[in-house]
Amino acid sequence: MLEKSIEDLKGIGPKMYEKLAEMGITTLEGLLNYFPNRYDHYEQKPLHELVHEEKVTIAGQVIQEPIVQFYNRKRSRLTVSIRVDGAVVKGVLFNRAFAKKHFIPGETVTVSGKWDQHRLQITIDQYQKGMIENNSPITPIYSLKGNIKNNQLIKITSQALDATLHTIEEFLPKQYIDDYRLPPRRDAIRQIHFPDNFTQLKHAKRRFIYEELLVFQLKMQLLRKKNKEETTGNAQHYDKDKVNTLIHRLPFSLTNAQLKSLKEILQDLESPYRMNRLLQGDVGSGKTAVAIVSLYASITAGKQAALMVPTEILAEQHEHSLKSILPEEIRVVRLTGSVKGKKRKEVLQNLAAGEVDVIIGTHALIQDDVHFANLGYVIIDEQHRFGVNQRNTLKEKGILADILFMTATPIPRTLSITAFGDMDVSKIDEMPKGRKPIETYWVKHNMLNRILSFIYKELKSGSQAYVVCPLIEESDKLDIQNAIDLYMQLQEVLKGKVNVGLMHGRLSNEEKEQVMAGFTSNQIQLLVSTTVVEVGVNVPNATIMMIQDADRFGLSQLHQLRGRVGRGEKKSYCILVADPKGDTGKERMRIMTETTDGFVLAEKDLELRGPGDVFGVKQSGVPEFKIADLVHDYRALETARNDAIDLVVNQRWKEKEYSKLFHYIKREFTFLDDLLN
Ligand code: ADP
Ligand code: MG
């Protein structure tokens, strides 16, 4: 029944069908699963009970012809006087002059809109002839495409409900329905479309939020299990003595958190199953060291290892780190966009011939003609910089290597268990000893001179500084112009005293390398840059990070930028220059000065900007939910996750009570067939 096409419903002709199909609706079930995105409800209250600024509904008699004022061809204002409860209320409609004919003097109207208590005025967004009964139904409002009318959708949805309601079956296990007091699926479907009252609606929503999250978490847990059971046979028996020797040769001793993560990674390498692990650690927590040691382990097991990073600068920096830490005989090679022609050919040849042990590169690594002799292990650094697609390319290449994703963007737990729910997670939640907390100040633009003299003093004492230029949304070009202007100004002011460098995305790779080398070797003391320095750059002698128009950046990004300093022994400063206009901007600046904890910032960022923006890209792997909201439904998410883990770990799909649930999952996610049978 539910699979039946919507074609047979009354009111659906070929055109309507096409439009609904565009909205993803072709079956009765699809229609029922298309939930309203809000509800309208007319509930009249006496004037004295109305609340200022709230949406209200009132009814009364139109007193006289409405007055329409035009400002220009498009903009107009219609004013109508309505007698309500013996008082005169002014109703205002903007840009809907055509509504005039609906307000006929002497007739009764019901209007809804925002209430202004002081002026006894309502900004009307909906109106209807006559008096609406007090307990009028709650009307579902669907988000629609094209010229489908809300009323049409209501009619066909209601038909579909009548036809199918008796066939809708519960698939959530009874235990959860009881424990969480969820309404049965059949009731909930009806209530979500045509609620009897707001309490019923609330419970229906609660049910579907849980259902959506449970199904999603089950998929994640099942994927994870599948991964774990898919043996690649690449158990990497690394040389423990050699690895220990390397650890002892590091210029520092690893923190406990580093050791713990390393151990988890090494265990994965040793197991015959494919590693699918996320290594999370705040900026500066020392992920690179962990990565290098684990790369080395894989090499001692006779495998090739690859390290993929998002930028040329990082590739180069990692190449340096690797070469300085790994024993001399390890063959380290870099493959980036700037490695071309003969050189590139040589690299590819050596790689395919097994004459390379570790390769570091950017996207260049996943091009079609890159072949490995014996790839055992891949690390992807700053993974959020790569889209899901790029990450998947590795898998599609048929590479059955162990994979470690690294991220310095602290990921709020809600996001990490959704976007990365199918992965194992290691966390470096401890900073190396001796780090001094970075002092963060928020200053206004008019203090720029004082700031510059402070920076100059620091530079004179042998430190270095970054000045990061404002981010102009969507415009690389303006970013760069900003950086160039500021660079020229600072060069002028500091001429003969300090060497100023300039870094931005349009420089050629050689130029970038040169500038970075100059900064690393302290030939350049002040580096003016666009946000290309954001990820991973490591110059421990830099102690000042000044960010222009800091309110334009998201918290996570500011945190990344701030993480470029405080990497050495010296005390570091982050100076946010901003005159934020909005509250969000001010709030961001305030939070930045209050905490250096990346996780706190990420949670705040999630609250202030929503999940899509935290990673900057839509395709970050964070799924879009139909009804659940990761910020508000945090508790439900945790519950669903625990339940999903329980169900999967204990293989409940074999038990009768859970068979309907897993049947549903199987239908949704056919790739899980093998596992679930
Ligand atoms: P991340 O990649 O996590 O941002 P890095 O690996 O670049 O951090 O490490 C930041 C800095 O800290 C580097 O200069 C690194 O050499 C240093 N470092 C890493 N681990 C330790 C440690 N256990 N003790 C002292 N310094 C460390
Ligand atoms: Mg790093």
Side-chain angles (χ1 to χ4, degrees):
M1 194 67 201
L2 286 163
E3 315 78 62
K4 269 178 84 171
S5 165
I6 51 172
E7 278 164 314
D8 299 336
L9 293 174
K10 257 200 295 186
I12 298 196
K15 266 204 187 133
M16 183 79 166
Y17 179 83
E18 206 171 287
K19 277 184 256 166
L20 288 169
E22 257 171 54
M23 287 160 61
I25 304 173
T26 53
T27 62
L28 298 185
E29 184 171 31
L31 194 56
L32 295 188
N33 283 334
Y34 197 81
F35 295 168
N37 68 348
R38 60 183 186 86
Y39 302 82
D40 266 351
H41 184 228
Y42 298 98
E43 189 190 16
Q44 286 165 232
K45 285 190 184 149
L47 280 191
H48 67 267
E49 279 183 23
L50 299 183
V51 179
H52 183 59
E53 301 259 274
E54 275 194 0
K55 189 172 170 182
V56 303
T57 299
I58 50 178
Q61 198 179 37
V62 178
I63 297 178
Q64 53 186 249
E65 282 281 304
I67 299 160
V68 179
Q69 289 165 288
F70 279 95
Y71 303 110
N72 56 37
R73 279 220 345 251
K74 283 194 186 135
R75 292 175 53 229
S76 69
R77 174 191 164 108
L78 182 154
T79 315
V80 56
S81 301
I82 306 169
R83 189 185 308 278
V84 183
D85 296 346
V88 176
V89 168
K90 201 193 271 175
V92 192
L93 276 117
F94 290 99
N95 311 325
R96 287 196 282 172
F98 56 84
K100 184 166 185 245
K101 59 176 182 290
H102 294 290
F103 295 94
I104 299 161
E107 289 193 353
T108 314
V109 288
T110 304
V111 294
S112 306
K114 197 163 142 192
W115 179 242
D116 184 333
Q117 179 70 42
H118 311 307
R119 297 190 191 156
L120 286 187
Q121 179 172 310
I122 179 167
T123 308
I124 300 175
D125 53 38
Q126 274 162 322
Y127 52 85
Q128 227 165 319
K129 275 195 178 173
M131 192 80 83
I132 295 276
E133 274 194 37
N134 232 352
N135 288 320
S136 73
I138 301 171
T139 312
I141 307 293
Y142 297 91
S143 84
L144 300 167
K145 287 211 185 98
N147 52 356
I148 298 181
K149 298 253 159 49
N150 195 56
N151 259 335
Q152 291 176 299
L153 202 64
I154 289 180
K155 275 193 192 130
I156 56 175
T157 304
S158 154
Q159 276 181 66
L161 258 183
D162 287 346
T164 59
L165 202 58
H166 61 285
T167 68
I168 294 174
E169 282 194 61
E170 185 56 73
F171 65 73
L172 289 184
K174 181 160 182 324
Q175 176 204 338
Y176 299 149
I177 296 269
D178 291 349
D179 284 358
Y180 311 137
R181 293 168 199 276
L182 302 173
R185 196 157 210 278
R186 195 176 293 176
D187 293 353
I189 282 271
R190 198 167 57 80
Q191 294 292 342
I192 199 109
H193 288 284
F194 305 111
D196 288 334
N197 55 52
F198 282 105
T199 313
Q200 300 275 16
L201 176 60
K202 194 174 84 193
H203 291 308
K205 275 189 178 162
R206 213 161 50 77
R207 187 219 142 88
F208 286 116
I209 288 167
Y210 175 75
E211 179 186 307
E212 181 170 39
L213 293 171
L214 180 69
V215 167
F216 178 75
Q217 287 294 339
L218 274 173
K219 178 185 153 197
M220 285 295 173
Q221 295 306 324
L222 287 166
L223 267 176
R224 191 165 160 194
K225 189 174 175 69
K226 190 171 139 117
N227 258 333
K228 285 237 155 84
E229 291 181 357
E230 238 170 28
T231 153
T232 56
N234 80 341
Q236 304 194 34
H237 302 292
Y238 62 91
D239 185 325
K240 296 200 165 84
D241 290 338
K242 281 187 175 170
V243 170
N244 277 330
T245 309
L246 182 75
I247 293 174
H248 288 296
R249 277 211 345 233
L250 291 173
F252 41 74
S253 48
L254 294 174
T255 62
N256 285 331
Q258 282 173 313
L259 285 170
K260 181 162 170 285
S261 298
L262 184 60
K263 202 172 135 201
E264 289 163 353
I265 294 166
L266 293 179
Q267 268 167 4
D268 279 359
L269 286 177
E270 225 178 2
S271 84
Y273 306 112
R274 179 180 187 171
M275 164 164 35
N276 187 33
R277 187 173 282 280
L278 179 70
L279 177 60
Q280 257 190 293
D282 211 340
V283 251
S285 63
K287 291 181 295 299
T288 311
V290 172
I292 294 177
V293 176
S294 67
L295 285 169
Y296 180 60
S298 180
I299 296 163
T300 67
K303 299 281 184 179
Q304 286 178 308
L307 174 57
M308 187 157 105
V309 298
T311 65
E312 294 256 349
I313 297 179
L314 266 185
E316 221 187 297
Q317 190 179 290
H318 279 320
E319 184 187 8
H320 277 293
S321 313
L322 281 166
K323 283 184 172 157
S324 70
I325 293 177
L326 291 177
E328 229 168 304
E329 71 272 14
I330 305 297
R331 297 157 298 183
V332 180
V333 162
R334 178 165 57 95
L335 181 65
T336 52
S338 63
V339 179
K340 291 188 191 114
K342 230 171 102 185
K343 178 76 188 143
R344 180 167 189 277
K345 218 165 157 189
E346 193 188 311
V347 168
L348 294 186
Q349 255 165 20
N350 290 341
L351 192 63
E355 276 153 27
V356 167
D357 298 311
V358 196
I359 187 155
I360 305 155
T362 50
H363 306 91
L365 282 186
I366 51 177
Q367 277 153 11
D368 284 341
D369 57 346
V370 179
H371 300 289
F372 294 84
N374 188 16
L375 181 64
Y377 182 31
V378 178
I379 301 183
I380 299 182
D381 194 11
E382 308 296 346
Q383 61 78 30
H384 66 283
R385 282 302 187 95
F386 296 98
V388 175
N389 295 337
Q390 281 163 341
R391 282 185 251 153
N392 286 341
T393 308
L394 275 171
K395 293 188 187 172
E396 279 154 21
K397 262 172 112 72
I399 297 173
L400 282 175
D402 287 315
I403 301 190
L404 179 72
F405 297 91
M406 300 207 290
T407 183
T409 307
I411 304 165
R413 191 171 151 73
T414 45
L415 290 190
S416 80
I417 66 182
T418 43
F420 308 107
D422 61 333
M423 294 185 192
D424 296 305
V425 178
S426 293
K427 248 186 208 176
I428 306 184
D429 50 9
E430 175 190 0
M431 284 292 177
K433 278 192 207 70
R435 291 282 164 77
K436 303 214 172 51
I438 303 164
E439 267 179 42
T440 302
Y441 298 100
W442 165 27
V443 301
K444 303 271 168 84
H445 279 101
N446 59 18
M447 297 198 26
L448 210 55
N449 281 335
R450 273 172 64 187
I451 299 300
L452 287 178
S453 62
F454 169 72
I455 293 180
Y456 178 57
K457 231 169 62 199
E458 277 284 301
L459 297 184
K460 259 197 343 204
S461 78
S463 292
Q464 289 166 276
Y466 297 93
V467 175
V468 172
C469 283
L471 179 81
I472 314 276
E473 296 276 326
E474 319 282 341
S475 172
D476 248 9
K477 237 193 195 147
L478 287 179
D479 278 3
I480 290 164
Q481 196 50 51
N482 259 319
I484 294 172
D485 290 348
L486 191 66
Y487 165 71
M488 307 261 260
Q489 280 169 27
L490 287 174
Q491 220 183 17
E492 186 64 37
V493 179
L494 299 170
K495 201 160 47 193
K497 299 179 193 159
V498 166
N499 285 331
V500 185
L502 172 66
M503 171 68 96
H504 60 69
R506 292 285 165 84
L507 295 181
S508 74
N509 290 321
E510 287 92 274
E511 286 169 320
K512 276 187 209 158
E513 274 169 33
Q514 244 173 29
V515 175
M516 249 0 258
F519 193 60
T520 310
S521 62
N522 203 356
Q523 238 111 35
I524 292 171
Q525 287 85 43
L526 182 63
L527 184 64
V528 178
S529 173
T530 58
T531 51
V532 290
V533 297
E534 181 194 342
V535 284
V537 171
N538 186 28
V539 178
N541 190 45
T543 60
I544 295 184
M545 167 60 68
M546 171 172 136
I547 305 169
Q548 289 270 63
D549 290 325
D551 54 319
R552 298 203 187 171
F553 298 83
L555 284 174
S556 297
Q557 207 176 8
L558 289 171
H559 182 62
Q560 280 287 325
L561 287 168
R562 179 164 63 184
R564 298 309 111 213
V565 296
R567 301 188 144 242
E569 298 292 299
K570 288 194 265 186
K571 183 166 183 62
S572 292
Y573 305 88
C574 173
I575 300 160
L576 308 169
V577 185
D579 298 318
K581 291 201 185 69
D583 287 343
T584 314
K586 282 182 193 146
E587 173 81 355
R588 273 194 209 141
M589 296 305 100
R590 198 182 53 72
I591 298 166
M592 280 299 291
T593 58
E594 280 172 8
T595 181
T596 50
D597 184 327
F599 283 93
V600 173
L601 288 165
E603 296 280 356
K604 271 283 170 202
D605 218 13
L606 180 63
E607 244 173 69
L608 293 175
R609 295 198 298 167
D613 287 343
V614 173
F615 290 120
V617 272
K618 264 268 186 284
Q619 51 154 335
S620 56
V622 183
E624 295 206 25
F625 289 102
K626 190 167 78 176
I627 180 161
D629 171 321
L630 291 183
V631 179
H632 294 108
D633 304 323
Y634 172 77
R635 294 264 270 310
L637 180 65
E638 290 280 344
T639 309
R641 175 173 154 91
N642 291 336
D643 292 342
I645 291 174
D646 178 44
L647 289 172
V648 171
V649 169
N650 297 318
Q651 310 214 11
R652 291 277 164 73
W653 55 88
K654 290 175 185 138
E655 294 168 32
K656 192 152 180 298
E657 198 188 336
Y658 304 96
S659 61
K660 283 199 178 124
L661 174 62
F662 283 99
H663 184 75
Y664 180 83
I665 301 276
K666 239 162 61 177
R667 215 185 75 177
E668 290 260 293
F669 308 112
T670 44
F671 57 91
L672 292 169
D673 270 0
D674 295 347
L675 185 70
L676 288 176
N677 281 333

